[in-house]
Amino acid sequence: MDIFSADKADKKDIKRFYKSQRYSAGFLGDDRCFLVRDTAVKNTPIIASVIVSYCSTSPFLHALVVDIKHQKQGLATALIKHCQQHFNSLVCFCEPKLASLYLANRFQVINDIKMAKSMPEQLTSRFDSYRQHTPSLLALSAKQSE
């Protein structure tokens, strides 16, 4: 299975995929979406997807979802690594139960002091808003190693 960079024609399929996974994902403006389909054929169902949005100057990785029938096959890791090849740095938010996935892929937890220094205000505000509903939420970041 290959990872594809989504184009405008994929937008309806992407929204349909997230809805079928009961995941509320939205495009934030300047977005890149990467997806995995069963085959290279354009009209086959999406089985995994991730969105990277620019919030100020920081690429924000979000909406990483793998269809339940295709989980535990390394697709989430493949999508993360693919994003890391395209962006020098990434920030994401996750629940603690998913932290090991990101930590295994060179992400580090951002503590409150680091957050104040490293995350743009737009992401810090978004994180604070999400934490009101999910107090255990973590912020993580990854930079390409030199």
Side-chain angles (χ1 to χ4, degrees):
M1 292 183 222
D2 294 322
I3 297 173
F4 301 94
S5 186
D7 58 32
K8 247 184 172 175
D10 294 313
K11 199 167 187 175
K12 283 184 183 176
D13 284 347
I14 294 164
K15 287 183 174 188
R16 196 175 306 117
F17 167 73
Y18 284 120
K19 187 174 181 177
S20 74
Q21 301 302 309
R22 293 183 177 90
Y23 188 88
S24 175
F27 294 98
L28 302 178
D30 189 9
D31 307 295
R32 294 221 21 220
C33 183
F34 300 102
L35 50 92
V36 178
R37 293 183 184 271
D38 247 334
T39 66
V41 179
K42 190 78 164 164
N43 293 329
T44 59
I46 295 170
I47 59 173
S49 182
V50 65
I51 300 172
V52 178
S53 301
Y54 276 97
C55 291
S56 296
T57 57
S58 291
F60 176 54
L61 185 147
H62 61 108
L64 174 58
V65 176
V66 177
D67 180 90
I68 194 160
K69 292 176 264 174
H70 298 279
Q71 291 179 358
K72 308 289 186 208
Q73 297 177 18
L75 294 175
T77 294
L79 282 167
I80 290 170
K81 288 181 178 183
H82 188 81
C83 292
Q84 289 173 324
Q85 291 172 351
H86 286 82
F87 300 93
N88 289 331
S89 65
L90 291 165
V91 172
C92 72
F93 307 148
C94 75
E95 294 181 25
K97 67 182 179 184
L98 296 173
S100 62
L101 169 68
Y102 293 99
L103 294 172
N105 286 287
R106 300 187 326 224
F107 278 78
Q108 297 179 338
V109 176
I110 303 172
N111 64 32
D112 290 337
I113 295 168
K114 277 192 210 172
M115 187 178 302
K117 294 179 181 177
S118 65
M119 275 191 0
E121 176 60 33
Q122 185 180 7
L123 278 179
T124 303
S125 296
R126 183 175 293 273
F127 181 70
D128 291 341
S129 172
Y130 292 169
R131 271 187 105 172
Q132 301 219 345
H133 302 290
T134 311
S136 61
L137 196 68
L138 300 170
L140 298 102
S141 68
K143 293 185 190 264
Q144 262 187 3
S145 55
E146 298 171 16

mmCIF file of all heavy atoms in Angstrom, residues 56-79:
data_model
loop_
_atom_site.group_PDB
_atom_site.id
_atom_site.type_symbol
_atom_site.label_atom_id
_atom_site.label_comp_id
_atom_site.label_asym_id
_atom_site.label_seq_id
_atom_site.Cartn_x
_atom_site.Cartn_y
_atom_site.Cartn_z
ATOM 1 N N SER A 56 0.345 29.310 11.925
ATOM 2 C CA SER A 56 1.445 30.271 11.898
ATOM 3 C C SER A 56 2.523 29.653 11.017
ATOM 4 O O SER A 56 2.287 29.378 9.864
ATOM 5 C CB SER A 56 1.954 30.586 13.297
ATOM 6 O OG SER A 56 0.955 31.214 14.047
ATOM 7 N N THR A 57 3.666 29.362 11.591
ATOM 8 C CA THR A 57 4.741 28.765 10.795
ATOM 9 C C THR A 57 4.999 27.322 11.177
ATOM 10 O O THR A 57 5.886 26.687 10.635
ATOM 11 C CB THR A 57 6.046 29.567 10.976
ATOM 12 O OG1 THR A 57 6.365 29.592 12.368
ATOM 13 C CG2 THR A 57 5.910 30.968 10.435
ATOM 14 N N SER A 58 4.222 26.786 12.114
ATOM 15 C CA SER A 58 4.445 25.420 12.576
ATOM 16 C C SER A 58 3.519 24.429 11.888
ATOM 17 O O SER A 58 2.304 24.583 11.944
ATOM 18 C CB SER A 58 4.201 25.325 14.084
ATOM 19 O OG SER A 58 5.187 26.004 14.782
ATOM 20 N N PRO A 59 4.075 23.403 11.260
ATOM 21 C CA PRO A 59 3.223 22.352 10.716
ATOM 22 C C PRO A 59 2.587 21.558 11.864
ATOM 23 O O PRO A 59 3.270 21.090 12.772
ATOM 24 C CB PRO A 59 4.188 21.477 9.918
ATOM 25 C CG PRO A 59 5.394 22.325 9.678
ATOM 26 C CD PRO A 59 5.478 23.229 10.874
ATOM 27 N N PHE A 60 1.281 21.437 11.824
ATOM 28 C CA PHE A 60 0.491 20.785 12.863
ATOM 29 C C PHE A 60 -0.070 19.490 12.303
ATOM 30 O O PHE A 60 -0.918 19.501 11.409
ATOM 31 C CB PHE A 60 -0.619 21.728 13.320
ATOM 32 C CG PHE A 60 -1.576 21.164 14.317
ATOM 33 C CD1 PHE A 60 -1.123 20.604 15.501
ATOM 34 C CD2 PHE A 60 -2.944 21.205 14.082
ATOM 35 C CE1 PHE A 60 -2.019 20.083 16.435
ATOM 36 C CE2 PHE A 60 -3.844 20.694 15.007
ATOM 37 C CZ PHE A 60 -3.376 20.132 16.180
ATOM 38 N N LEU A 61 0.413 18.356 12.794
ATOM 39 C CA LEU A 61 -0.044 17.042 12.365
ATOM 40 C C LEU A 61 -1.298 16.697 13.166
ATOM 41 O O LEU A 61 -1.273 16.720 14.390
ATOM 42 C CB LEU A 61 1.064 16.011 12.607
ATOM 43 C CG LEU A 61 0.805 14.601 12.121
ATOM 44 C CD1 LEU A 61 2.124 13.969 11.680
ATOM 45 C CD2 LEU A 61 0.168 13.747 13.187
ATOM 46 N N HIS A 62 -2.378 16.389 12.466
ATOM 47 C CA HIS A 62 -3.618 16.029 13.158
ATOM 48 C C HIS A 62 -4.438 15.101 12.282
ATOM 49 O O HIS A 62 -4.114 14.848 11.126
ATOM 50 C CB HIS A 62 -4.424 17.276 13.554
ATOM 51 C CG HIS A 62 -4.853 18.131 12.416
ATOM 52 N ND1 HIS A 62 -6.152 18.203 11.991
ATOM 53 C CD2 HIS A 62 -4.157 18.959 11.593
ATOM 54 C CE1 HIS A 62 -6.253 19.043 10.983
ATOM 55 N NE2 HIS A 62 -5.050 19.512 10.708
ATOM 56 N N ALA A 63 -5.481 14.569 12.861
ATOM 57 C CA ALA A 63 -6.426 13.706 12.147
ATOM 58 C C ALA A 63 -5.746 12.463 11.574
ATOM 59 O O ALA A 63 -6.069 12.023 10.481
ATOM 60 C CB ALA A 63 -7.151 14.493 11.051
ATOM 61 N N LEU A 64 -4.824 11.887 12.326
ATOM 62 C CA LEU A 64 -4.199 10.630 11.922
ATOM 63 C C LEU A 64 -5.147 9.495 12.295
ATOM 64 O O LEU A 64 -5.361 9.208 13.469
ATOM 65 C CB LEU A 64 -2.850 10.447 12.618
ATOM 66 C CG LEU A 64 -2.137 9.114 12.398
ATOM 67 C CD1 LEU A 64 -1.881 8.852 10.920
ATOM 68 C CD2 LEU A 64 -0.822 9.089 13.161
ATOM 69 N N VAL A 65 -5.753 8.889 11.286
ATOM 70 C CA VAL A 65 -6.761 7.858 11.510
ATOM 71 C C VAL A 65 -6.500 6.692 10.559
ATOM 72 O O VAL A 65 -6.250 6.900 9.373
ATOM 73 C CB VAL A 65 -8.190 8.408 11.270
ATOM 74 C CG1 VAL A 65 -9.235 7.311 11.401
ATOM 75 C CG2 VAL A 65 -8.495 9.544 12.233
ATOM 76 N N VAL A 66 -6.573 5.490 11.115
ATOM 77 C CA VAL A 66 -6.464 4.256 10.329
ATOM 78 C C VAL A 66 -7.754 3.481 10.532
ATOM 79 O O VAL A 66 -8.189 3.286 11.670
ATOM 80 C CB VAL A 66 -5.241 3.410 10.778
ATOM 81 C CG1 VAL A 66 -5.180 2.098 10.002
ATOM 82 C CG2 VAL A 66 -3.940 4.201 10.621
ATOM 83 N N ASP A 67 -8.354 3.043 9.441
ATOM 84 C CA ASP A 67 -9.563 2.235 9.514
ATOM 85 C C ASP A 67 -9.314 1.036 10.427
ATOM 86 O O ASP A 67 -8.261 0.410 10.365
ATOM 87 C CB ASP A 67 -9.951 1.767 8.103
ATOM 88 C CG ASP A 67 -11.199 0.930 8.109
ATOM 89 O OD1 ASP A 67 -12.302 1.495 7.973
ATOM 90 O OD2 ASP A 67 -11.074 -0.310 8.243
ATOM 91 N N ILE A 68 -10.291 0.711 11.259
ATOM 92 C CA ILE A 68 -10.126 -0.345 12.264
ATOM 93 C C ILE A 68 -9.717 -1.685 11.642
ATOM 94 O O ILE A 68 -8.945 -2.445 12.226
ATOM 95 C CB ILE A 68 -11.389 -0.480 13.147
ATOM 96 C CG1 ILE A 68 -11.073 -1.311 14.377
ATOM 97 C CG2 ILE A 68 -12.544 -1.067 12.359
ATOM 98 C CD1 ILE A 68 -12.042 -1.133 15.508
ATOM 99 N N LYS A 69 -10.182 -1.978 10.432
ATOM 100 C CA LYS A 69 -9.832 -3.252 9.775
ATOM 101 C C LYS A 69 -8.374 -3.301 9.331
ATOM 102 O O LYS A 69 -7.867 -4.356 8.999
ATOM 103 C CB LYS A 69 -10.745 -3.485 8.567
ATOM 104 C CG LYS A 69 -12.198 -3.741 8.921
ATOM 105 C CD LYS A 69 -13.047 -3.869 7.680
ATOM 106 C CE LYS A 69 -13.645 -2.509 7.433
ATOM 107 N NZ LYS A 69 -14.386 -2.365 6.224
ATOM 108 N N HIS A 70 -7.711 -2.150 9.334
ATOM 109 C CA HIS A 70 -6.331 -2.072 8.852
ATOM 110 C C HIS A 70 -5.346 -1.626 9.934
ATOM 111 O O HIS A 70 -4.189 -1.332 9.626
ATOM 112 C CB HIS A 70 -6.263 -1.130 7.653
ATOM 113 C CG HIS A 70 -7.094 -1.610 6.499
ATOM 114 N ND1 HIS A 70 -6.677 -2.576 5.612
ATOM 115 C CD2 HIS A 70 -8.347 -1.270 6.110
ATOM 116 C CE1 HIS A 70 -7.618 -2.802 4.725
ATOM 117 N NE2 HIS A 70 -8.646 -2.028 5.008
ATOM 118 N N GLN A 71 -5.808 -1.581 11.175
ATOM 119 C CA GLN A 71 -4.910 -1.186 12.264
ATOM 120 C C GLN A 71 -3.924 -2.297 12.574
ATOM 121 O O GLN A 71 -4.111 -3.446 12.177
ATOM 122 C CB GLN A 71 -5.736 -0.812 13.500
ATOM 123 C CG GLN A 71 -6.502 0.476 13.292
ATOM 124 C CD GLN A 71 -7.348 0.888 14.480
ATOM 125 O OE1 GLN A 71 -7.421 0.206 15.493
ATOM 126 N NE2 GLN A 71 -8.005 2.028 14.351
ATOM 127 N N LYS A 72 -2.863 -1.931 13.263
ATOM 128 C CA LYS A 72 -1.793 -2.864 13.660
ATOM 129 C C LYS A 72 -1.023 -3.404 12.448
ATOM 130 O O LYS A 72 -0.459 -4.483 12.500
ATOM 131 C CB LYS A 72 -2.346 -4.038 14.487
ATOM 132 C CG LYS A 72 -3.190 -3.627 15.677
ATOM 133 C CD LYS A 72 -2.363 -3.030 16.756
ATOM 134 C CE LYS A 72 -3.228 -2.773 17.987
ATOM 135 N NZ LYS A 72 -2.763 -1.700 18.792
ATOM 136 N N GLN A 73 -0.995 -2.630 11.360
ATOM 137 C CA GLN A 73 -0.242 -3.021 10.170
ATOM 138 C C GLN A 73 0.877 -2.028 9.862
ATOM 139 O O GLN A 73 1.482 -2.079 8.801
ATOM 140 C CB GLN A 73 -1.179 -3.132 8.965
ATOM 141 C CG GLN A 73 -2.231 -4.198 9.097
ATOM 142 C CD GLN A 73 -3.191 -4.224 7.911
ATOM 143 O OE1 GLN A 73 -2.917 -3.687 6.839
ATOM 144 N NE2 GLN A 73 -4.352 -4.842 8.108
ATOM 145 N N GLY A 74 1.111 -1.080 10.766
ATOM 146 C CA GLY A 74 2.176 -0.104 10.568
ATOM 147 C C GLY A 74 1.799 1.099 9.720
ATOM 148 O O GLY A 74 2.667 1.895 9.364
ATOM 149 N N LEU A 75 0.513 1.261 9.420
ATOM 150 C CA LEU A 75 0.101 2.375 8.569
ATOM 151 C C LEU A 75 0.254 3.730 9.265
ATOM 152 O O LEU A 75 0.661 4.705 8.630
ATOM 153 C CB LEU A 75 -1.340 2.186 8.094
ATOM 154 C CG LEU A 75 -1.562 0.988 7.162
ATOM 155 C CD1 LEU A 75 -3.045 0.819 6.853
ATOM 156 C CD2 LEU A 75 -0.770 1.148 5.885
ATOM 157 N N ALA A 76 -0.070 3.802 10.541
ATOM 158 C CA ALA A 76 0.076 5.074 11.269
ATOM 159 C C ALA A 76 1.554 5.481 11.298
ATOM 160 O O ALA A 76 1.889 6.637 11.032
ATOM 161 C CB ALA A 76 -0.477 4.948 12.682
ATOM 162 N N THR A 77 2.432 4.534 11.585
ATOM 163 C CA THR A 77 3.872 4.831 11.598
ATOM 164 C C THR A 77 4.337 5.257 10.212
ATOM 165 O O THR A 77 5.105 6.216 10.076
ATOM 166 C CB THR A 77 4.660 3.594 12.083
ATOM 167 O OG1 THR A 77 4.310 3.362 13.453
ATOM 168 C CG2 THR A 77 6.151 3.803 11.975
ATOM 169 N N ALA A 78 3.871 4.581 9.179
ATOM 170 C CA ALA A 78 4.259 4.940 7.812
ATOM 171 C C ALA A 78 3.809 6.361 7.469
ATOM 172 O O ALA A 78 4.567 7.127 6.852
ATOM 173 C CB ALA A 78 3.673 3.940 6.821
ATOM 174 N N LEU A 79 2.598 6.738 7.883
ATOM 175 C CA LEU A 79 2.120 8.095 7.629
ATOM 176 C C LEU A 79 2.934 9.132 8.408
ATOM 177 O O LEU A 79 3.271 10.191 7.872
ATOM 178 C CB LEU A 79 0.628 8.215 7.965
ATOM 179 C CG LEU A 79 -0.319 7.642 6.913
ATOM 180 C CD1 LEU A 79 -1.730 7.523 7.465
ATOM 181 C CD2 LEU A 79 -0.311 8.500 5.652
#
